[in-house]
């Protein structure tokens, strides 16, 4: 999601050193062990994006960018990401409240291009999924970092959807089985369509309308999980079309979710409902309102955007 | 606001070291210079609270507490705050995404009491207010830490109230004069009443209903400021009745707001619309959804709460 | 529901003759045959109400009253209803768009009392209910008068609750069985409570909150019926406590609903979910917004209201 | 607005005689006196429409049509309207709760065409407008038929916009001057755009978004009038482009409003804010939810629609 707001006048240099906050502290360290696992080869992905803006004036406009591989996975890049900015402008980076790497720049009126190309390496294998028996934790035993992901948030009305969630999933065993059922229910009952969303669409809207984009589907599944006392968070990033039918639509970033069961976070994707290879995390938060890709404090229009994430042939 | 949600089972020790995040980085250092200023004496305040909960079972319940003086003002306490918890339970502290000190505990079923008493020292003088000519910054020159406070948030629908804000305040000079006008408009047009709120009341609701508690009045004033491209944030804390008519209602914590003009944050209080002495900041965020005093992940009822903040006679 | 709005100045005599409109045209004629049915005795009910208002000035206030037995059942009264109005004021009657008898008066500032006492006779037997096999009509074969009761209305968001209705009831046989299931679902899943409502509460709100008064329960059940293409309308009137446990609360008017199956309208009451004796219809419409008992165009407060509907001992 | 809902099976003949209801009873009789007024010539208009539907099956679908000149103006037609229906189907007519002439038909699956062509005669002169001094009535002196048009309705949240209305217009003289000011405010502040609406857009939405189609502009102006205790109702019909710049968009039906001042209803049109010639009333109600042009109880898609209303050259 691209947000824009306000106006700007002249640039100020900001010195913000990298820092980590507790909410991101429970992530697993990046896994680089695939080379030593029998039968698992490396997957090398060419990733990147190219965004063209038209900054309307008269004042310079500030931008916040959430377009870097997340610190949890950044070590799997061949080289640290440096976004290309044209015209050449100062680009400061900082880590936000949820542990996401962000950039900030101030652009004068006129065209602005922000782009990146890099290589990301991971195991050529499907992402893990918890067993149906994976254990659900009581709030008292959850890490503090997971607690905020039990609460309602802007697009996830946990209180409003609580009775519905219990109707649909309350008779199933707790833990992995419930989360798999939630994932399946959203996949089967919410029809995907690019035009079937709107900026203020909430989980309850998606529940009653049964339509949406990946963002809406995540909000609904996340809300159901939280209503069942299972921490769930919203994430987005690159999702290459590995070993799945080719999607004829232009590639875009994708949203998915992470759910806490059995002492760790797991990836779930009710938009696709299959285990995938090569997801690359960019941003993580309570819902889409925490992870805007680009926020502009002025009126620049995004002119074009292209995204790539594809295997580099051996 | 007290939030409760979910259920808990048994306690887990969490080791979170103190850390500061960028959004809080622009605060001024605490002012201890009053002793050297002519005619300014010290104000010593006895502060504290006493909360009694009834934790329903069967599982232990996790609590998040935002009840500590904010790190920006904590040096003005006579002694570091240690909350009293009965029964004796582990109480871990951490700093959240907005720089607020928080506590976490896991309580077994039964009564729970959390209380505190301390002494806070500050200058006996009214809080400063910006001149009407105080300068409003373009987004491009704002510190990164201020940018999130230009955007819409859960209770502050900046996009929905933008046309209204421009109607009401768009013809006034920018900067201090606009902020004073916003403050005055909310004070004069929104009727305060304890029962005139509800958990999901937003700034737009308050605008059309013209009633609310301090929380609602802040959300409306904050939304108007942001709509005019002025950073504004929601805060709460102790507000002693110094040199104002005695309020016959029992003392409670109070909400106010902070607005960024002329390279610094200023306190504004459209609930009272007078400069006060002795405010003590506890929590700071985008709106009330970021600064819940107590969040319980289970069904405990707050039985009673008392708050004090009063001058210690010389 | 009592509505009030606006202000008034002086009275105007209105001459409106009784008239009937198509939407009410399919009602069954009143049944007076109980005397000839074996084992069915007559039930004589004393009915009435007493309302005290305080009309604030300075101008006279117009009132619309929907407090007469509906023309469909009025023949079962011992005498035509004449409301007592104190002070003596002109009271004009007319029939509204839905076939309900209404009154209009203009009251000067000061106390106003509107009251009535009468006797109503019906069979001492439970109201009929359709068989589970009762036939559901396609819209093409419905009488025109029933068609509006298939559409969404102010409190009944048929479009929003359509997917939910099909989830819950779509696998059951059409017709009587679905309606009985809807009735039972609302009775079992929505908790009744006098304080658990609010003026703008809709069917969707009731669905997600699972609480409400009879009005809210009807709106939800009506919305489910319409979503399944079954005409349903909102009604209110007297509901005596015949052969049911005594309700300790003061008697009030009650809402129920009517559903069209097998070429006729049937009474359903998901608030009570039992067949009752002695209901007396007053108002009928699409939802509560069509059948306000008292609408005042000014600011008078209803001071007290009492309602009776009880058997006259033989 | 075209509504569709439900499904149908086979046709039933309905016998509904014409009838009038009180809410429409205060309309002025049609004016045929222009021939005798100095300098006023007759305006003859060719009017009509052509609608093509594709009725999806499998069952027949019921349609309600509000496409006839309103009884108040029907005497100005050269001949009584008979809609052409292809294939030939029974078309029953009735008058609805607001005095509008409606049709009902049941169509089998397949193409359906409903069309009409006629001639309407009126004075070639601008519609009258009340003086700024036109008197506003207290509710107590209004005819009963006008009272419902003081209350909130589905798209007109009178209670929510009351404070705003008083802010904007409360200092102006009552009566004609307020209504002209409301009309002008909506014209000047709400930007017209065909895509800037949605089915559930309310007056409050239009107020905060400042965009909409004629329907939305009427809802806002009507709500402001009612909030000031001035009866206002929603109407739609033919609006020929007489003596105004040619609108390059295809002709459509148009919505406007009627306001009660000085013992009569007056036409106002905040979409255009000029006095027009040749408006032909079709439907009248509290808001757009009462006057759907076509309501289909099934899933037929409107394929194409054309409307004409143009002067017949002498």
């Amino acid at each position: 999601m691209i947000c824009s707001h306000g106006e700007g006048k002249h640039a100020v240099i900001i010195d913000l050193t990298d820092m980590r906050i507790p909410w991101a502290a429970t992530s697993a360290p990046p896994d680089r062990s695939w080379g030593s696992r029998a039968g698992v080869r490396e997957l090398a992905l060419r990733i990147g994006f190219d965004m063209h803006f038209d900054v309307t004036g008269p004042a310079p406009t500030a931008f916040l960018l959430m377009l870097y591989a997340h610190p949890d996975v950044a070590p799997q890049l061949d080289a640290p990401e440096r976004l290309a900015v044209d015209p050449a402008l100062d680009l400061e980076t900082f880590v936000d409240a949820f542990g996401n790497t962000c950039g900030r720049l101030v652009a004068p009126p006129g065209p602005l291009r922000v782009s990146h190309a890099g290589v990301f390496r991971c195991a050529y294998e499907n992402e893990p999924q918890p067993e149906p028996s994976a254990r659900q934790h009581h709030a008292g035993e959850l890490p503090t970092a997971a607690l905020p992901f039990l609460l309602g948030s802007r697009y996830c009305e946990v209180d409003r959807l609580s009775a519905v969630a219990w109707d649909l999933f309350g008779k199933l065993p707790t833990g992995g089985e419930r989360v798999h059922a939630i994932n399946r229910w959203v996949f089967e009952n919410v029809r995907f369509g690019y035009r079937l969303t709107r900026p203020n669409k909430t989980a309850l809207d998606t529940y009653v309308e049964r339509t949406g984009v990946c963002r809406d589907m995540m909000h609904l599944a996340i809300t159901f999980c939280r209503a069942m006392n299972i921490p769930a968070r919203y994430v987005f990033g690159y999702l290459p079309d590995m070993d799945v039918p080719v999607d004829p639509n232009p590639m875009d970033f994708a949203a998915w979710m992470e759910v806490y069961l059995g002492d760790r976070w797991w990836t779930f994707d009710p938009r696709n409902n299959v285990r995938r290879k090569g997801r690359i995390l960019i941003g993580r938060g309570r819902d889409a309102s925490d992870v805007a890709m680009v926020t502009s404090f002025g009126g620049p229009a995004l002119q074009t955007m292209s995204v790539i994430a594809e295997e580099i042939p051996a």
Side-chain angles (χ1 to χ4, degrees), chain A:
Chain A
M1 166 153 292
I2 308 290
C3 299
S4 67
H5 184 79
E7 68 201 276
K9 194 164 163 195
H10 65 264
V12 169
I13 302 306
I14 303 149
D15 190 343
L16 288 165
T17 51
D18 248 40
M19 55 197 78
R20 295 290 299 280
I21 64 108
W23 290 7
T26 57
S27 304
D31 176 12
R32 304 300 299 258
S33 63
W34 59 80
S36 61
R37 291 209 295 275
V40 179
R41 68 167 173 92
E42 181 181 85
L43 171 61
L45 293 162
R46 185 182 321 280
I47 63 169
F49 60 87
D50 192 1
M51 294 181 175
H52 293 248
F53 298 90
D54 181 17
V55 179
T56 56
T61 293
F63 285 76
L64 295 181
L65 308 172
M66 193 182 288
L67 291 166
Y68 296 88
H70 190 277
D72 284 356
V73 298
Q76 290 169 250
L77 292 162
D78 273 10
E81 287 169 305
R82 288 183 54 87
L83 306 193
V85 180
D86 180 17
L89 296 167
D90 285 321
L91 175 62
E92 304 294 325
T93 60
F94 64 96
V95 173
D96 79 1
F98 294 92
N100 307 302
T101 304
C102 302
R104 179 190 195 257
L105 59 82
V106 178
L112 170 68
R113 181 179 177 194
V114 181
S115 60
H116 179 63
V119 174
F120 184 90
R121 294 177 194 279
C122 57
Y124 184 89
E125 66 184 356
N126 287 331
E127 57 208 359
Q129 288 254 297
E131 295 299 316
S133 62
R135 184 160 166 277
Q136 178 174 334
H137 300 273
H138 291 279
E141 52 179 25
L142 285 170
T144 299
L147 291 177
F149 301 104
L150 283 175
L151 298 173
S153 59
R154 188 162 182 192
Y155 295 114
C156 298
E157 311 107 316
V158 173
D159 55 335
R160 302 287 282 170
L161 278 164
S162 179
V164 171
W166 284 91
D167 275 2
L168 292 174
F169 310 110
K171 287 180 185 135
L172 299 174
T174 61
E177 191 152 338
R178 281 194 183 172
V179 175
H180 281 286
I182 288 168
N183 199 58
R184 203 161 46 234
W185 192 95
V186 172
F187 175 74
E188 289 173 357
N189 287 278
V190 179
R191 184 162 56 91
F192 179 88
Y194 283 106
R195 296 178 162 273
L196 302 173
T197 192
R198 54 186 183 276
N200 63 347
K201 190 168 188 174
T202 67
L204 178 56
D205 291 329
T206 302
Y207 174 67
V208 302
E209 300 172 19
R210 306 287 166 93
T211 56
V213 295
C214 55
R215 155 194 161 107
D216 305 308
M217 298 168 89
M218 297 313 131
H219 286 156
L220 180 54
I222 287 168
T223 305
F224 282 152
C225 287
R226 293 182 189 168
M228 312 306 280
N229 300 311
I230 302 166
R233 59 195 188 188
Y234 182 96
V235 296
F236 85 98
Y238 297 96
L239 177 56
D241 285 333
M242 298 296 304
D243 302 333
V244 291
V246 173
D247 184 334
N249 293 294
M251 175 160 276
D252 193 357
F253 293 109
W256 59 91
M257 69 173 184
E258 293 176 343
V259 171
Y260 196 86
L261 289 173
D263 290 310
R264 61 162 285 190
W265 292 97
W266 302 88
T267 290
F268 275 88
D269 182 354
R271 157 77 172 97
N272 294 296
N273 200 31
V274 289
R275 295 167 64 194
R276 297 286 289 258
K277 297 178 181 73
R279 287 183 204 269
I280 305 172
L281 178 64
I282 293 175
R284 183 186 273 154
R286 287 168 303 184
D287 59 32
S289 66
D290 287 329
V291 290
M293 269 192 305
V294 178
T295 305
S296 72
F297 295 82
L302 180 66
Q303 302 291 308
T304 63
M305 178 174 87
S306 63
V307 178
I308 61 159
E310 58 187 21
E311 187 169 10
I312 301 170

